[in-house]
PDB file of all heavy atoms in Angstrom:
ATOM      1  N   PRO A   1     -79.946  41.210 -51.084  1.00  0.00           N
ATOM      2  CA  PRO A   1     -80.430  41.531 -49.789  1.00  0.00           C
ATOM      3  C   PRO A   1     -79.395  41.490 -48.665  1.00  0.00           C
ATOM      4  O   PRO A   1     -79.317  42.410 -47.890  1.00  0.00           O
ATOM      5  CB  PRO A   1     -81.600  40.597 -49.537  1.00  0.00           C
ATOM      6  CG  PRO A   1     -82.017  40.046 -50.769  1.00  0.00           C
ATOM      7  CD  PRO A   1     -80.763  40.090 -51.615  1.00  0.00           C
ATOM      8  N   SER A   2     -78.511  40.465 -48.744  1.00  0.00           N
ATOM      9  CA  SER A   2     -77.513  40.304 -47.608  1.00  0.00           C
ATOM     10  C   SER A   2     -76.242  41.139 -47.855  1.00  0.00           C
ATOM     11  O   SER A   2     -75.583  41.483 -46.918  1.00  0.00           O
ATOM     12  CB  SER A   2     -77.106  38.874 -47.353  1.00  0.00           C
ATOM     13  OG  SER A   2     -77.734  38.023 -48.107  1.00  0.00           O
ATOM     14  N   LYS A   3     -75.965  41.450 -49.090  1.00  0.00           N
ATOM     15  CA  LYS A   3     -74.832  42.298 -49.637  1.00  0.00           C
ATOM     16  C   LYS A   3     -73.534  41.596 -49.382  1.00  0.00           C
ATOM     17  O   LYS A   3     -72.665  41.678 -50.283  1.00  0.00           O
ATOM     18  CB  LYS A   3     -74.820  43.708 -48.838  1.00  0.00           C
ATOM     19  CG  LYS A   3     -76.036  44.550 -49.355  1.00  0.00           C
ATOM     20  CD  LYS A   3     -75.889  45.966 -48.738  1.00  0.00           C
ATOM     21  CE  LYS A   3     -76.911  46.909 -49.365  1.00  0.00           C
ATOM     22  NZ  LYS A   3     -78.288  46.387 -49.302  1.00  0.00           N
ATOM     23  N   TYR A   4     -73.274  41.061 -48.255  1.00  0.00           N
ATOM     24  CA  TYR A   4     -72.011  40.265 -47.994  1.00  0.00           C
ATOM     25  C   TYR A   4     -72.263  38.828 -47.802  1.00  0.00           C
ATOM     26  O   TYR A   4     -73.149  38.428 -47.149  1.00  0.00           O
ATOM     27  CB  TYR A   4     -71.258  40.853 -46.698  1.00  0.00           C
ATOM     28  CG  TYR A   4     -70.849  42.226 -46.807  1.00  0.00           C
ATOM     29  CD1 TYR A   4     -71.627  43.242 -46.522  1.00  0.00           C
ATOM     30  CD2 TYR A   4     -69.538  42.607 -47.227  1.00  0.00           C
ATOM     31  CE1 TYR A   4     -71.241  44.613 -46.530  1.00  0.00           C
ATOM     32  CE2 TYR A   4     -69.017  43.849 -47.403  1.00  0.00           C
ATOM     33  CZ  TYR A   4     -69.945  44.880 -47.059  1.00  0.00           C
ATOM     34  OH  TYR A   4     -69.412  46.229 -47.076  1.00  0.00           O
ATOM     35  N   GLY A   5     -71.349  37.965 -48.386  1.00  0.00           N
ATOM     36  CA  GLY A   5     -71.609  36.527 -48.187  1.00  0.00           C
ATOM     37  C   GLY A   5     -70.854  35.653 -49.099  1.00  0.00           C
ATOM     38  O   GLY A   5     -69.831  36.204 -49.737  1.00  0.00           O
ATOM     39  N   ILE A   6     -71.197  34.434 -49.157  1.00  0.00           N
ATOM     40  CA  ILE A   6     -70.504  33.414 -50.015  1.00  0.00           C
ATOM     41  C   ILE A   6     -71.301  33.157 -51.304  1.00  0.00           C
ATOM     42  O   ILE A   6     -72.522  32.841 -51.172  1.00  0.00           O
ATOM     43  CB  ILE A   6     -70.295  32.150 -49.213  1.00  0.00           C
ATOM     44  CG1 ILE A   6     -69.452  32.458 -47.967  1.00  0.00           C
ATOM     45  CG2 ILE A   6     -69.682  31.001 -50.019  1.00  0.00           C
ATOM     46  CD1 ILE A   6     -69.315  31.343 -46.955  1.00  0.00           C
ATOM     47  N   LYS A   7     -70.724  33.284 -52.415  1.00  0.00           N
ATOM     48  CA  LYS A   7     -71.387  33.150 -53.619  1.00  0.00           C
ATOM     49  C   LYS A   7     -71.454  31.712 -54.086  1.00  0.00           C
ATOM     50  O   LYS A   7     -70.408  31.019 -54.132  1.00  0.00           O
ATOM     51  CB  LYS A   7     -70.812  34.059 -54.763  1.00  0.00           C
ATOM     52  CG  LYS A   7     -71.557  34.012 -56.062  1.00  0.00           C
ATOM     53  CD  LYS A   7     -71.164  35.069 -56.931  1.00  0.00           C
ATOM     54  CE  LYS A   7     -69.770  35.031 -57.542  1.00  0.00           C
ATOM     55  NZ  LYS A   7     -69.467  36.027 -58.557  1.00  0.00           N
ATOM     56  N   ILE A   8     -72.568  31.150 -54.453  1.00  0.00           N
ATOM     57  CA  ILE A   8     -72.747  29.781 -54.898  1.00  0.00           C
ATOM     58  C   ILE A   8     -73.521  29.828 -56.172  1.00  0.00           C
ATOM     59  O   ILE A   8     -74.661  30.394 -56.219  1.00  0.00           O
ATOM     60  CB  ILE A   8     -73.577  28.961 -53.909  1.00  0.00           C
ATOM     61  CG1 ILE A   8     -72.785  28.937 -52.609  1.00  0.00           C
ATOM     62  CG2 ILE A   8     -73.647  27.542 -54.469  1.00  0.00           C
ATOM     63  CD1 ILE A   8     -73.524  28.173 -51.465  1.00  0.00           C
ATOM     64  N   PHE A   9     -72.862  29.250 -57.304  1.00  0.00           N
ATOM     65  CA  PHE A   9     -73.548  29.081 -58.491  1.00  0.00           C
ATOM     66  C   PHE A   9     -74.571  27.934 -58.375  1.00  0.00           C
ATOM     67  O   PHE A   9     -74.051  26.921 -57.991  1.00  0.00           O
ATOM     68  CB  PHE A   9     -72.608  28.972 -59.744  1.00  0.00           C
ATOM     69  CG  PHE A   9     -71.750  30.088 -59.829  1.00  0.00           C
ATOM     70  CD1 PHE A   9     -70.378  30.025 -59.531  1.00  0.00           C
ATOM     71  CD2 PHE A   9     -72.108  31.301 -60.390  1.00  0.00           C
ATOM     72  CE1 PHE A   9     -69.493  31.038 -59.679  1.00  0.00           C
ATOM     73  CE2 PHE A   9     -71.288  32.398 -60.499  1.00  0.00           C
ATOM     74  CZ  PHE A   9     -69.963  32.369 -60.132  1.00  0.00           C
ATOM     75  N   ALA A  10     -75.773  27.993 -58.949  1.00  0.00           N
ATOM     76  CA  ALA A  10     -76.717  26.853 -58.793  1.00  0.00           C
ATOM     77  C   ALA A  10     -77.461  26.638 -60.141  1.00  0.00           C
ATOM     78  O   ALA A  10     -77.805  27.645 -60.871  1.00  0.00           O
ATOM     79  CB  ALA A  10     -77.690  27.261 -57.753  1.00  0.00           C
ATOM     80  N   LEU A  11     -77.693  25.430 -60.512  1.00  0.00           N
ATOM     81  CA  LEU A  11     -78.433  24.978 -61.538  1.00  0.00           C
ATOM     82  C   LEU A  11     -79.833  24.411 -60.998  1.00  0.00           C
ATOM     83  O   LEU A  11     -79.738  23.483 -60.224  1.00  0.00           O
ATOM     84  CB  LEU A  11     -77.747  23.971 -62.478  1.00  0.00           C
ATOM     85  CG  LEU A  11     -78.448  23.533 -63.717  1.00  0.00           C
ATOM     86  CD1 LEU A  11     -77.337  23.076 -64.668  1.00  0.00           C
ATOM     87  CD2 LEU A  11     -79.423  22.408 -63.555  1.00  0.00           C
ATOM     88  N   VAL A  12     -80.814  25.024 -61.430  1.00  0.00           N
ATOM     89  CA  VAL A  12     -82.228  24.748 -60.700  1.00  0.00           C
ATOM     90  C   VAL A  12     -83.262  24.374 -61.848  1.00  0.00           C
ATOM     91  O   VAL A  12     -83.246  25.007 -62.825  1.00  0.00           O
ATOM     92  CB  VAL A  12     -82.750  25.902 -59.894  1.00  0.00           C
ATOM     93  CG1 VAL A  12     -84.084  25.589 -59.278  1.00  0.00           C
ATOM     94  CG2 VAL A  12     -81.685  26.254 -58.812  1.00  0.00           C
ATOM     95  N   ASP A  13     -84.034  23.431 -61.603  1.00  0.00           N
ATOM     96  CA  ASP A  13     -85.168  23.097 -62.410  1.00  0.00           C
ATOM     97  C   ASP A  13     -86.138  24.233 -62.402  1.00  0.00           C
ATOM     98  O   ASP A  13     -86.646  24.600 -61.372  1.00  0.00           O
ATOM     99  CB  ASP A  13     -85.829  21.814 -61.985  1.00  0.00           C
ATOM    100  CG  ASP A  13     -86.908  21.234 -62.940  1.00  0.00           C
ATOM    101  OD1 ASP A  13     -87.922  21.967 -63.176  1.00  0.00           O
ATOM    102  OD2 ASP A  13     -86.804  20.143 -63.443  1.00  0.00           O
ATOM    103  N   SER A  14     -86.576  24.798 -63.555  1.00  0.00           N
ATOM    104  CA  SER A  14     -87.393  25.987 -63.632  1.00  0.00           C
ATOM    105  C   SER A  14     -88.812  25.643 -63.311  1.00  0.00           C
ATOM    106  O   SER A  14     -89.672  26.584 -63.024  1.00  0.00           O
ATOM    107  CB  SER A  14     -87.252  26.600 -64.995  1.00  0.00           C
ATOM    108  OG  SER A  14     -85.974  26.879 -65.390  1.00  0.00           O
ATOM    109  N   ARG A  15     -89.229  24.473 -63.280  1.00  0.00           N
ATOM    110  CA  ARG A  15     -90.687  24.076 -63.019  1.00  0.00           C
ATOM    111  C   ARG A  15     -90.927  23.713 -61.595  1.00  0.00           C
ATOM    112  O   ARG A  15     -91.890  24.150 -60.986  1.00  0.00           O
ATOM    113  CB  ARG A  15     -91.087  22.927 -63.931  1.00  0.00           C
ATOM    114  CG  ARG A  15     -90.994  23.232 -65.376  1.00  0.00           C
ATOM    115  CD  ARG A  15     -91.415  22.020 -66.264  1.00  0.00           C
ATOM    116  NE  ARG A  15     -92.729  21.680 -66.161  1.00  0.00           N
ATOM    117  CZ  ARG A  15     -93.243  20.663 -65.545  1.00  0.00           C
ATOM    118  NH1 ARG A  15     -92.339  19.802 -64.838  1.00  0.00           N
ATOM    119  NH2 ARG A  15     -94.457  20.332 -65.410  1.00  0.00           N
ATOM    120  N   VAL A  16     -90.050  22.845 -61.018  1.00  0.00           N
ATOM    121  CA  VAL A  16     -90.343  22.435 -59.604  1.00  0.00           C
ATOM    122  C   VAL A  16     -89.311  22.961 -58.659  1.00  0.00           C
ATOM    123  O   VAL A  16     -89.376  22.680 -57.411  1.00  0.00           O
ATOM    124  CB  VAL A  16     -90.298  20.909 -59.668  1.00  0.00           C
ATOM    125  CG1 VAL A  16     -91.388  20.254 -60.451  1.00  0.00           C
ATOM    126  CG2 VAL A  16     -89.007  20.323 -60.031  1.00  0.00           C
ATOM    127  N   PHE A  17     -88.345  23.774 -59.088  1.00  0.00           N
ATOM    128  CA  PHE A  17     -87.401  24.412 -58.243  1.00  0.00           C
ATOM    129  C   PHE A  17     -86.494  23.413 -57.418  1.00  0.00           C
ATOM    130  O   PHE A  17     -86.239  23.638 -56.340  1.00  0.00           O
ATOM    131  CB  PHE A  17     -88.073  25.393 -57.204  1.00  0.00           C
ATOM    132  CG  PHE A  17     -89.083  26.300 -57.939  1.00  0.00           C
ATOM    133  CD1 PHE A  17     -90.413  26.330 -57.578  1.00  0.00           C
ATOM    134  CD2 PHE A  17     -88.751  27.140 -58.979  1.00  0.00           C
ATOM    135  CE1 PHE A  17     -91.319  27.130 -58.229  1.00  0.00           C
ATOM    136  CE2 PHE A  17     -89.615  27.919 -59.638  1.00  0.00           C
ATOM    137  CZ  PHE A  17     -90.908  27.880 -59.201  1.00  0.00           C
ATOM    138  N   TYR A  18     -86.125  22.389 -58.130  1.00  0.00           N
ATOM    139  CA  TYR A  18     -85.265  21.379 -57.625  1.00  0.00           C
ATOM    140  C   TYR A  18     -83.755  21.835 -57.897  1.00  0.00           C
ATOM    141  O   TYR A  18     -83.389  21.965 -59.145  1.00  0.00           O
ATOM    142  CB  TYR A  18     -85.493  20.012 -58.210  1.00  0.00           C
ATOM    143  CG  TYR A  18     -84.614  18.839 -57.597  1.00  0.00           C
ATOM    144  CD1 TYR A  18     -85.074  18.090 -56.552  1.00  0.00           C
ATOM    145  CD2 TYR A  18     -83.337  18.616 -58.090  1.00  0.00           C
ATOM    146  CE1 TYR A  18     -84.229  17.105 -55.947  1.00  0.00           C
ATOM    147  CE2 TYR A  18     -82.600  17.628 -57.592  1.00  0.00           C
ATOM    148  CZ  TYR A  18     -83.043  16.824 -56.575  1.00  0.00           C
ATOM    149  OH  TYR A  18     -82.267  15.910 -55.987  1.00  0.00           O
ATOM    150  N   THR A  19     -82.932  22.028 -56.876  1.00  0.00           N
ATOM    151  CA  THR A  19     -81.511  22.432 -57.072  1.00  0.00           C
ATOM    152  C   THR A  19     -80.708  21.250 -57.389  1.00  0.00           C
ATOM    153  O   THR A  19     -80.592  20.282 -56.643  1.00  0.00           O
ATOM    154  CB  THR A  19     -80.949  22.979 -55.794  1.00  0.00           C
ATOM    155  OG1 THR A  19     -81.812  24.240 -55.510  1.00  0.00           O
ATOM    156  CG2 THR A  19     -79.502  23.557 -56.075  1.00  0.00           C
ATOM    157  N   TRP A  20     -80.269  21.061 -58.662  1.00  0.00           N
ATOM    158  CA  TRP A  20     -79.616  19.853 -59.242  1.00  0.00           C
ATOM    159  C   TRP A  20     -78.105  19.969 -59.048  1.00  0.00           C
ATOM    160  O   TRP A  20     -77.545  18.865 -58.853  1.00  0.00           O
ATOM    161  CB  TRP A  20     -79.987  19.726 -60.679  1.00  0.00           C
ATOM    162  CG  TRP A  20     -79.819  18.386 -61.202  1.00  0.00           C
ATOM    163  CD1 TRP A  20     -80.526  17.257 -60.916  1.00  0.00           C
ATOM    164  CD2 TRP A  20     -78.780  17.950 -62.107  1.00  0.00           C
ATOM    165  NE1 TRP A  20     -80.023  16.235 -61.564  1.00  0.00           N
ATOM    166  CE2 TRP A  20     -78.979  16.616 -62.409  1.00  0.00           C
ATOM    167  CE3 TRP A  20     -77.759  18.679 -62.867  1.00  0.00           C
ATOM    168  CZ2 TRP A  20     -78.154  15.833 -63.309  1.00  0.00           C
ATOM    169  CZ3 TRP A  20     -77.016  17.983 -63.715  1.00  0.00           C
ATOM    170  CH2 TRP A  20     -77.206  16.612 -63.925  1.00  0.00           C
ATOM    171  N   LYS A  21     -77.542  21.104 -59.168  1.00  0.00           N
ATOM    172  CA  LYS A  21     -75.973  21.204 -59.099  1.00  0.00           C
ATOM    173  C   LYS A  21     -75.634  22.498 -58.553  1.00  0.00           C
ATOM    174  O   LYS A  21     -76.297  23.533 -58.861  1.00  0.00           O
ATOM    175  CB  LYS A  21     -75.395  20.893 -60.469  1.00  0.00           C
ATOM    176  CG  LYS A  21     -73.896  20.653 -60.396  1.00  0.00           C
ATOM    177  CD  LYS A  21     -73.315  20.280 -61.747  1.00  0.00           C
ATOM    178  CE  LYS A  21     -71.837  19.953 -61.596  1.00  0.00           C
ATOM    179  NZ  LYS A  21     -71.194  19.564 -62.846  1.00  0.00           N
ATOM    180  N   MET A  22     -74.521  22.579 -57.798  1.00  0.00           N
ATOM    181  CA  MET A  22     -74.059  23.847 -57.164  1.00  0.00           C
ATOM    182  C   MET A  22     -72.547  23.840 -57.221  1.00  0.00           C
ATOM    183  O   MET A  22     -71.921  22.727 -57.275  1.00  0.00           O
ATOM    184  CB  MET A  22     -74.540  23.999 -55.769  1.00  0.00           C
ATOM    185  CG  MET A  22     -75.962  24.110 -55.627  1.00  0.00           C
ATOM    186  SD  MET A  22     -76.455  24.458 -53.898  1.00  0.00           S
ATOM    187  CE  MET A  22     -76.078  22.944 -53.069  1.00  0.00           C
ATOM    188  N   GLU A  23     -72.039  25.086 -57.231  1.00  0.00           N
ATOM    189  CA  GLU A  23     -70.509  25.162 -57.222  1.00  0.00           C
ATOM    190  C   GLU A  23     -70.243  26.507 -56.368  1.00  0.00           C
ATOM    191  O   GLU A  23     -70.808  27.603 -56.721  1.00  0.00           O
ATOM    192  CB  GLU A  23     -70.006  25.400 -58.610  1.00  0.00           C
ATOM    193  CG  GLU A  23     -68.532  25.605 -58.707  1.00  0.00           C
ATOM    194  CD  GLU A  23     -68.075  25.771 -60.136  1.00  0.00           C
ATOM    195  OE1 GLU A  23     -68.247  24.901 -60.915  1.00  0.00           O
ATOM    196  OE2 GLU A  23     -67.379  26.805 -60.440  1.00  0.00           O
ATOM    197  N   ILE A  24     -69.407  26.295 -55.390  1.00  0.00           N
ATOM    198  CA  ILE A  24     -69.018  27.502 -54.485  1.00  0.00           C
ATOM    199  C   ILE A  24     -67.977  28.314 -55.310  1.00  0.00           C
ATOM    200  O   ILE A  24     -66.940  27.672 -55.818  1.00  0.00           O
ATOM    201  CB  ILE A  24     -68.564  27.026 -53.225  1.00  0.00           C
ATOM    202  CG1 ILE A  24     -69.551  26.152 -52.497  1.00  0.00           C
ATOM    203  CG2 ILE A  24     -68.104  28.231 -52.332  1.00  0.00           C
ATOM    204  CD1 ILE A  24     -69.012  25.617 -51.172  1.00  0.00           C
ATOM    205  N   TYR A  25     -68.137  29.643 -55.328  1.00  0.00           N
ATOM    206  CA  TYR A  25     -67.173  30.474 -55.840  1.00  0.00           C
ATOM    207  C   TYR A  25     -66.029  30.742 -54.920  1.00  0.00           C
ATOM    208  O   TYR A  25     -66.295  31.363 -53.746  1.00  0.00           O
ATOM    209  CB  TYR A  25     -67.846  31.779 -56.190  1.00  0.00           C
ATOM    210  CG  TYR A  25     -66.730  32.756 -56.829  1.00  0.00           C
ATOM    211  CD1 TYR A  25     -66.198  32.721 -58.075  1.00  0.00           C
ATOM    212  CD2 TYR A  25     -66.321  33.791 -55.968  1.00  0.00           C
ATOM    213  CE1 TYR A  25     -65.170  33.605 -58.551  1.00  0.00           C
ATOM    214  CE2 TYR A  25     -65.433  34.802 -56.427  1.00  0.00           C
ATOM    215  CZ  TYR A  25     -64.902  34.660 -57.706  1.00  0.00           C
ATOM    216  OH  TYR A  25     -63.949  35.525 -58.201  1.00  0.00           O
ATOM    217  N   ALA A  26     -64.888  30.365 -55.207  1.00  0.00           N
ATOM    218  CA  ALA A  26     -63.663  30.451 -54.202  1.00  0.00           C
ATOM    219  C   ALA A  26     -62.581  31.440 -54.578  1.00  0.00           C
ATOM    220  O   ALA A  26     -61.644  31.428 -54.047  1.00  0.00           O
ATOM    221  CB  ALA A  26     -63.075  29.143 -53.861  1.00  0.00           C
ATOM    222  N   GLY A  27     -62.873  32.239 -55.652  1.00  0.00           N
ATOM    223  CA  GLY A  27     -61.957  33.258 -56.090  1.00  0.00           C
ATOM    224  C   GLY A  27     -60.830  32.487 -56.889  1.00  0.00           C
ATOM    225  O   GLY A  27     -61.049  31.350 -57.442  1.00  0.00           O
ATOM    226  N   LYS A  28     -59.636  32.946 -56.755  1.00  0.00           N
ATOM    227  CA  LYS A  28     -58.487  32.432 -57.430  1.00  0.00           C
ATOM    228  C   LYS A  28     -57.887  31.342 -56.563  1.00  0.00           C
ATOM    229  O   LYS A  28     -57.312  31.635 -55.517  1.00  0.00           O
ATOM    230  CB  LYS A  28     -57.474  33.512 -57.920  1.00  0.00           C
ATOM    231  CG  LYS A  28     -56.357  32.942 -58.691  1.00  0.00           C
ATOM    232  CD  LYS A  28     -55.370  33.994 -59.110  1.00  0.00           C
ATOM    233  CE  LYS A  28     -54.164  33.405 -59.907  1.00  0.00           C
ATOM    234  NZ  LYS A  28     -53.256  34.418 -60.330  1.00  0.00           N
ATOM    235  N   GLN A  29     -57.989  30.132 -56.918  1.00  0.00           N
ATOM    236  CA  GLN A  29     -57.433  28.994 -56.156  1.00  0.00           C
ATOM    237  C   GLN A  29     -55.826  28.878 -56.375  1.00  0.00           C
ATOM    238  O   GLN A  29     -55.377  29.315 -57.369  1.00  0.00           O
ATOM    239  CB  GLN A  29     -58.063  27.724 -56.602  1.00  0.00           C
ATOM    240  CG  GLN A  29     -59.477  27.539 -56.141  1.00  0.00           C
ATOM    241  CD  GLN A  29     -59.605  26.972 -54.777  1.00  0.00           C
ATOM    242  OE1 GLN A  29     -58.733  27.080 -53.946  1.00  0.00           O
ATOM    243  NE2 GLN A  29     -60.653  26.095 -54.619  1.00  0.00           N
ATOM    244  N   PRO A  30     -55.126  28.336 -55.455  1.00  0.00           N
ATOM    245  CA  PRO A  30     -53.683  28.088 -55.650  1.00  0.00           C
ATOM    246  C   PRO A  30     -53.533  27.095 -56.810  1.00  0.00           C
ATOM    247  O   PRO A  30     -54.487  26.333 -57.182  1.00  0.00           O
ATOM    248  CB  PRO A  30     -53.300  27.421 -54.323  1.00  0.00           C
ATOM    249  CG  PRO A  30     -54.338  27.789 -53.249  1.00  0.00           C
ATOM    250  CD  PRO A  30     -55.535  27.936 -54.067  1.00  0.00           C
ATOM    251  N   ASN A  31     -52.333  27.145 -57.422  1.00  0.00           N
ATOM    252  CA  ASN A  31     -52.032  26.270 -58.478  1.00  0.00           C
ATOM    253  C   ASN A  31     -52.210  24.727 -57.948  1.00  0.00           C
ATOM    254  O   ASN A  31     -51.681  24.389 -56.921  1.00  0.00           O
ATOM    255  CB  ASN A  31     -50.515  26.383 -58.936  1.00  0.00           C
ATOM    256  CG  ASN A  31     -50.360  27.780 -59.629  1.00  0.00           C
ATOM    257  OD1 ASN A  31     -51.354  28.352 -60.069  1.00  0.00           O
ATOM    258  ND2 ASN A  31     -49.250  28.312 -59.526  1.00  0.00           N
ATOM    259  N   GLY A  32     -52.878  24.038 -58.836  1.00  0.00           N
ATOM    260  CA  GLY A  32     -53.208  22.692 -58.425  1.00  0.00           C
ATOM    261  C   GLY A  32     -54.457  22.113 -59.061  1.00  0.00           C
ATOM    262  O   GLY A  32     -55.142  22.717 -59.942  1.00  0.00           O
ATOM    263  N   PRO A  33     -55.012  21.025 -58.559  1.00  0.00           N
ATOM    264  CA  PRO A  33     -56.261  20.312 -59.136  1.00  0.00           C
ATOM    265  C   PRO A  33     -57.438  21.141 -58.984  1.00  0.00           C
ATOM    266  O   PRO A  33     -58.401  20.803 -59.690  1.00  0.00           O
ATOM    267  CB  PRO A  33     -56.301  19.039 -58.457  1.00  0.00           C
ATOM    268  CG  PRO A  33     -55.500  19.219 -57.121  1.00  0.00           C
ATOM    269  CD  PRO A  33     -54.482  20.273 -57.430  1.00  0.00           C
ATOM    270  N   PHE A  34     -57.565  22.034 -58.063  1.00  0.00           N
ATOM    271  CA  PHE A  34     -58.764  22.759 -57.806  1.00  0.00           C
ATOM    272  C   PHE A  34     -58.827  24.196 -58.405  1.00  0.00           C
ATOM    273  O   PHE A  34     -59.700  24.965 -58.223  1.00  0.00           O
ATOM    274  CB  PHE A  34     -59.074  22.972 -56.328  1.00  0.00           C
ATOM    275  CG  PHE A  34     -59.061  21.606 -55.612  1.00  0.00           C
ATOM    276  CD1 PHE A  34     -57.978  21.136 -54.784  1.00  0.00           C
ATOM    277  CD2 PHE A  34     -60.227  20.816 -55.730  1.00  0.00           C
ATOM    278  CE1 PHE A  34     -58.083  19.928 -54.161  1.00  0.00           C
ATOM    279  CE2 PHE A  34     -60.238  19.527 -55.103  1.00  0.00           C
ATOM    280  CZ  PHE A  34     -59.183  19.123 -54.342  1.00  0.00           C
ATOM    281  N   GLN A  35     -57.756  24.534 -59.192  1.00  0.00           N
ATOM    282  CA  GLN A  35     -57.778  25.814 -59.819  1.00  0.00           C
ATOM    283  C   GLN A  35     -58.662  25.645 -61.170  1.00  0.00           C
ATOM    284  O   GLN A  35     -58.417  24.887 -62.010  1.00  0.00           O
ATOM    285  CB  GLN A  35     -56.319  26.193 -60.255  1.00  0.00           C
ATOM    286  CG  GLN A  35     -56.193  27.600 -60.805  1.00  0.00           C
ATOM    287  CD  GLN A  35     -54.822  27.961 -61.097  1.00  0.00           C
ATOM    288  OE1 GLN A  35     -54.066  27.178 -61.698  1.00  0.00           O
ATOM    289  NE2 GLN A  35     -54.349  29.156 -60.586  1.00  0.00           N
ATOM    290  N   VAL A  36     -59.646  26.561 -61.198  1.00  0.00           N
ATOM    291  CA  VAL A  36     -60.557  26.528 -62.352  1.00  0.00           C
ATOM    292  C   VAL A  36     -60.777  27.995 -62.924  1.00  0.00           C
ATOM    293  O   VAL A  36     -60.385  28.979 -62.255  1.00  0.00           O
ATOM    294  CB  VAL A  36     -61.921  25.908 -61.934  1.00  0.00           C
ATOM    295  CG1 VAL A  36     -61.833  24.561 -61.581  1.00  0.00           C
ATOM    296  CG2 VAL A  36     -62.519  26.725 -60.890  1.00  0.00           C
ATOM    297  N   ASP A  37     -61.263  28.064 -64.223  1.00  0.00           N
ATOM    298  CA  ASP A  37     -61.597  29.264 -64.766  1.00  0.00           C
ATOM    299  C   ASP A  37     -62.955  29.720 -64.274  1.00  0.00           C
ATOM    300  O   ASP A  37     -63.941  29.041 -64.351  1.00  0.00           O
ATOM    301  CB  ASP A  37     -61.585  29.036 -66.290  1.00  0.00           C
ATOM    302  CG  ASP A  37     -61.859  30.360 -67.048  1.00  0.00           C
ATOM    303  OD1 ASP A  37     -61.996  31.525 -66.405  1.00  0.00           O
ATOM    304  OD2 ASP A  37     -62.070  30.293 -68.253  1.00  0.00           O
TER     305      ASP A  37
END
């Protein structure tokens, strides 16, 4: 609906809709401890 924005991956309980874990998508990070696949 918004088309533009910040993408966040979320793990949610399917029964009660409790958001248990999230991760912000930051694109390609610089070389270092925060660079992930």
